[in-house]
């Protein structure tokens, strides 16, 4: 699976770690639902840290399609709400379960 983190690049990610990402994604969804920008920023940083820790970065010149796209940690509530509308809103950014 290829995950793109906006403004950071792409990471090859083993699907066996999806539970880690789902827990982080739940926190992102909860922050958006609460309208809490501070909590959103913290949750996005945690999600991105997990992706970077557990994933393998792809070269900058790689042309692989991304399976998932995650906003950067500086994304606003409005940015994330817009991105979630394009994704399956019940599942957040990471498929598998929602809050």
């Amino acid at each position: 699976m290829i995950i793109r983190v906006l403004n950071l690049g792409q990471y090859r990610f083993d699907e066996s770690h999806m539970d880690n990402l789902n827990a982080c994604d739940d926190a992102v969804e909860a922050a958006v639902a609460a309208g809490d920008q501070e909590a959103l920023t913290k949750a996005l940083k945690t999600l991105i840290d997990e992706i970077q820790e557990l994933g393998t970065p792809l070269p900058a010149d790689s042309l692989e399609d991304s399976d998932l796209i995650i906003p950067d940690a500086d994304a606003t509530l409005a940015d994330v709400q817009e991105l979630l509308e394009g994704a399956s809103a019940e599942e957040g950014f990471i498929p598998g379960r929602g809050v």
Side-chain angles (χ1 to χ4, degrees):
M1 165 178 285
I2 305 297
I3 299 175
R4 174 178 298 283
V5 179
L6 295 178
N7 299 320
L8 290 179
Q10 290 180 298
Y11 296 82
R12 185 169 308 282
F13 198 82
D14 188 307
E15 291 187 36
S16 67
H17 297 295
M18 291 305 286
D19 284 345
N20 297 64
L21 294 191
N22 269 310
C24 296
D25 190 41
D26 289 348
V28 169
E29 290 179 82
V32 170
D36 186 337
Q37 181 66 54
E38 186 175 327
L40 173 62
T41 300
K42 182 179 177 183
L44 284 172
K45 284 181 182 178
T46 301
L47 176 59
I48 292 166
D49 287 347
E50 284 291 306
I51 292 167
Q52 290 178 313
E53 181 179 324
L54 299 171
T56 303
L58 295 179
D61 61 351
S62 175
L63 298 175
E64 296 192 46
D65 288 337
S66 300
D67 298 299
L68 301 173
I69 299 175
I70 306 297
D72 64 21
D74 294 330
T76 66
L77 282 164
D79 294 337
V80 173
Q81 287 169 330
E82 185 177 320
L83 287 170
L84 285 173
E85 287 174 7
S88 177
E90 315 76 61
E91 294 189 343
F93 292 114
I94 311 298
R97 71 175 196 229
V99 172

